[in-house]
Amino acid sequence: MAPTVSTNPLRDPRDRRLPRLPDASALVVFGATGDLARKKLIPAVYDLANRGLLPPGFVLLGFARRDWSDDDFAQFARESAEKGARTPFREEVWDRLASSVRFVQGAFDDDAAFDRLVSTLEELESSHGIAGNAAFYLSVPPSAFPVVLKQMQRTNLAAKGASGWRRVVIEKPFGHDIASARELNALVDDVFTPSGVYRIDHYLGKETVQNLFALRFANTLFEPIWNSQFVDSVQITMAEDVGIGTRAGFYDETGAARDVLQNHLLQLLALTAMEEPVSFSAETIRTEKIKVLRAVSLPDDLDRYAVRGQYEQGWLAGERVAGYLDEKDIPADSHTETYAAVRFGIETRRWAGVPFYLRTGKRLPRRVTEIAIVFKKAPHLPFDQTDTAELGNNQLVIRVQPDEGVTLKFGSKVPGSAMEVRDVAMDFLFGEAFTEALPEAYERLILDVLLGDATLFPNNAEVEESWRIIDPLEEHWASTTPHRYRAGSWGPAAADDMLGADGRRWRRP
């Protein structure tokens, strides 16, 4: 008689106090010695271990060119975790993790190296009980995607019939236009099953972005006015105070629109404008986001409502910084934009007539990402004009980073004998409302990959729809010269004129 399988009567699957733990598995990081692995991936893995969210059979397996042993990679991982981890570094946690760190040396076009990788995973099945479960993180340049994927296909690493599960994580950019995106999608789908592909956009892993779901759909306060009857406009801003750093080669070929607008900002737009899903499953949320992206319209006058800029030398935090053309390895005649601002429309019943203004730029005054819902002014104010001279539009601002939280801006009477109404703000800060520190985005996303939860990962259709929106902008800009703006300013004057033509102005974060 077969043994009776019993379940823990004290564990209810609805109980959110008990964390979800992945199956015993390996996280294989291609390009394991690069900046992304050192600064983000390895610290995130350590933080997950420190929070008790990794299974006992978890293995971190690095693959890179350096002639390292397992101990060399373990030392590199330790230094990365000590420097970049969000949670306190604890020796006992590291000792448990270090015992499951492995390294395979080789180039991406080295058949023997991939054969060794296959052998190593097979050994781990018996030594750590990973049962064929492996997630492959492509922390490599986009040009290396095809060769890595073809090696995985050759060695059967991603075989659809393999024991356990096999998943692949792909970092942006997902192509450089719709044609290359479709080519990459076809290659990935030829190697992995669609359910095993995770295109990572780290912005979707941020708690404040996910809080959009709770803000809109768990409350009755906001959703009734989340439409064109009450909303005047929406502004989505991603500003960076840094320059291009060591990314000159990549950035000069990419530019701000392809680097940020096509993925981060359009994803934020889709989450802001989507209808309520029937459930919080990956498929239903993706369906609602795709509906929004398919409804996005470009302005008729791209010269006025699609502005790009390039920073010149200026001052930031009391220091003089070089202009883009003076950055190392940037051609003196480069027309690559470091700033992009566009007005989009969404042709749905909910959002018809509401402009969505998106902007991103480097060398702006401060690092900030926010979504600002700007409401219409009251149709009739029983006040003299002087009473409300300092009253602006009501605003609901979701701060994605830094100072994560929500601000509600509304009018209030100034104490005194006169009737004077002025803007005031009501603030909610994650750091003050909750005792638990916010997890880093890569923590959430790596854990979701290991759990097989694809809710926060764009699929093929979302990527291609995003390129459908961006490609006409790139074609229009190809024959133009970007406007200049001083480093430390909020962008070119043309971007202010864009909103000024509509009788609006940018919100100052």
Side-chain angles (χ1 to χ4, degrees):
M1 179 182 294
T4 302
V5 178
S6 61
T7 58
N8 185 345
L10 301 180
R11 177 153 194 162
D12 188 323
R14 296 170 298 177
D15 192 343
R16 300 299 185 186
R17 294 171 299 177
L18 298 175
R20 297 178 298 167
L21 289 182
D23 300 324
S25 53
L27 176 63
V28 182
V29 180
F30 292 105
T33 59
D35 280 353
L36 178 63
R38 177 172 56 85
K39 295 178 180 178
K40 297 294 184 180
L41 304 184
I42 294 174
V45 167
Y46 170 81
D47 286 329
L48 289 172
N50 208 5
R51 294 165 60 200
L53 296 178
L54 293 180
F58 175 79
V59 179
L60 175 62
L61 176 53
F63 185 104
R65 291 177 178 271
R66 297 191 188 182
D67 188 12
W68 278 359
S69 65
D70 290 347
D71 290 341
D72 292 330
F73 181 58
Q75 181 60 31
F76 171 82
R78 178 194 175 102
E79 293 170 358
S80 301
E82 284 184 306
K83 185 174 182 179
R86 176 183 62 85
T87 57
F89 189 84
R90 296 190 295 164
E91 288 291 342
E92 63 272 21
V93 172
W94 174 254
D95 289 343
R96 289 197 301 270
L97 187 60
S99 65
S100 298
V101 172
R102 299 289 186 272
F103 186 76
V104 174
Q105 187 273 335
F108 300 141
D109 59 355
D110 184 351
D111 289 355
F114 273 81
D115 293 339
R116 288 196 300 274
L117 177 59
V118 172
S119 300
T120 302
L121 287 172
E122 290 174 349
E123 292 170 6
L124 292 171
E125 290 195 32
S126 57
S127 64
H128 286 71
I130 65 172
N133 299 324
F136 303 93
Y137 201 115
L138 271 61
S139 178
V140 301
S143 59
F145 288 172
V147 64
V148 174
L149 289 168
K150 288 175 181 176
Q151 285 280 22
M152 296 177 74
Q153 187 177 43
R154 180 189 67 81
T155 53
N156 224 25
L157 277 171
K160 298 177 177 65
S163 62
W165 48 256
R166 296 294 168 94
R167 298 165 188 150
V168 64
V169 185
I170 302 175
E171 277 279 348
K172 73 174 186 73
F174 313 119
H176 61 269
D177 57 18
I178 193 168
S180 60
R182 285 173 175 164
E183 184 179 345
L184 176 60
N185 286 340
L187 175 62
V188 174
D189 289 344
D190 191 43
V191 180
F192 284 86
T193 59
S195 61
V197 180
Y198 291 72
R199 294 166 181 81
I200 196 165
D201 184 338
H202 71 273
Y203 260 65
L204 301 187
K206 293 182 180 293
E207 284 287 333
T208 37
V209 173
Q210 298 164 51
N211 194 45
L212 267 172
F213 294 136
L215 190 72
R216 290 187 58 189
F217 306 131
N219 301 291
T220 58
L221 179 62
F222 302 113
E223 190 62 15
I225 59 173
W226 206 271
N227 54 61
S228 61
Q229 184 177 352
F230 297 97
V231 176
D232 171 78
S233 59
V234 178
Q235 295 183 19
I236 304 179
T237 297
M238 178 183 164
E240 298 179 275
D241 55 0
V242 298
I244 59 171
T246 60
R247 302 170 72 212
F250 165 80
Y251 198 90
D252 199 57
E253 292 182 1
T254 306
R258 289 190 176 104
D259 187 38
V260 174
L261 193 61
Q262 180 270 335
N263 40 75
H264 299 332
L265 293 191
L266 283 180
Q267 282 291 321
L268 294 181
L269 177 147
L271 291 172
T272 303
M274 65 184 277
E275 297 296 325
E276 181 176 3
V278 295
S279 68
F280 283 113
S281 68
E283 190 58 36
T284 56
I285 290 175
R286 284 169 166 176
T287 297
E288 297 304 332
K289 288 198 294 179
I290 289 171
K291 287 180 183 179
V292 172
L293 293 173
R294 287 175 177 165
V296 170
S297 63
L298 288 168
D300 294 330
D301 188 353
L302 288 177
D303 286 327
R304 170 172 288 186
Y305 292 109
V307 175
R308 67 183 190 133
Q310 189 183 89
Y311 64 82
E312 298 179 312
Q313 67 173 352
W315 292 85
L316 265 170
E319 295 184 4
R320 178 173 289 280
V321 296
Y324 179 74
L325 297 181
D326 297 320
E327 299 277 15
K328 184 180 179 182
D329 298 328
I330 296 298
D333 59 349
S334 174
H335 286 176
T336 299
E337 79 277 357
T338 60
Y339 177 98
V342 186
R343 186 189 76 178
F344 293 116
I346 300 179
E347 306 306 320
T348 63
R349 184 180 295 273
R350 179 187 289 266
W351 294 112
V354 177
F356 279 69
Y357 300 102
L358 276 60
R359 63 172 170 171
T360 181
K362 289 189 175 294
R363 290 299 189 196
L364 301 183
R366 60 186 295 248
R367 171 178 170 265
V368 61
T369 301
E370 67 174 31
I371 303 165
I373 313 297
V374 182
F375 295 97
K376 294 178 179 179
K377 289 195 173 184
H380 171 68
L381 292 174
F383 304 101
D384 292 335
Q385 186 174 356
T386 55
D387 295 344
T388 59
E390 296 186 45
L391 177 64
N393 295 63
N394 296 158
Q395 297 178 11
L396 179 67
V397 182
I398 298 98
R399 295 189 306 278
V400 177
Q401 68 175 13
D403 304 324
E404 294 87 348
V406 179
T407 294
L408 181 62
K409 181 181 173 184
F410 56 93
S412 177
K413 179 185 176 300
V414 178
S417 58
M419 175 56 73
E420 180 184 357
V421 183
R422 186 182 302 170
D423 287 328
V424 295
M426 184 180 297
D427 272 344
F428 153 66
L429 292 171
F430 270 92
E432 294 182 358
F434 301 102
T435 56
E436 184 175 350
L438 291 182
E440 215 275 340
Y442 280 95
E443 287 179 58
R444 170 65 188 269
L445 296 174
I446 289 174
L447 182 61
D448 280 355
V449 170
L450 298 177
L451 289 166
D453 185 346
T455 304
L456 300 177
F457 298 83
N459 65 2
N460 284 7
E462 290 178 71
V463 171
E464 293 181 11
E465 285 299 325
S466 297
W467 282 120
R468 178 194 63 79
I469 297 166
I470 296 301
D471 279 357
L473 290 176
E474 294 291 350
E475 292 173 8
H476 174 75
W477 283 336
S479 59
T480 66
T481 301
H483 298 275
R484 307 299 182 191
Y485 66 96
R486 179 177 49 82
S489 69
W490 279 105
D496 296 326
D497 296 340
M498 179 176 80
L499 267 70
D502 293 341
R504 300 182 177 92
R505 61 182 180 181
W506 289 108
R507 166 184 155 79
R508 183 62 57 88

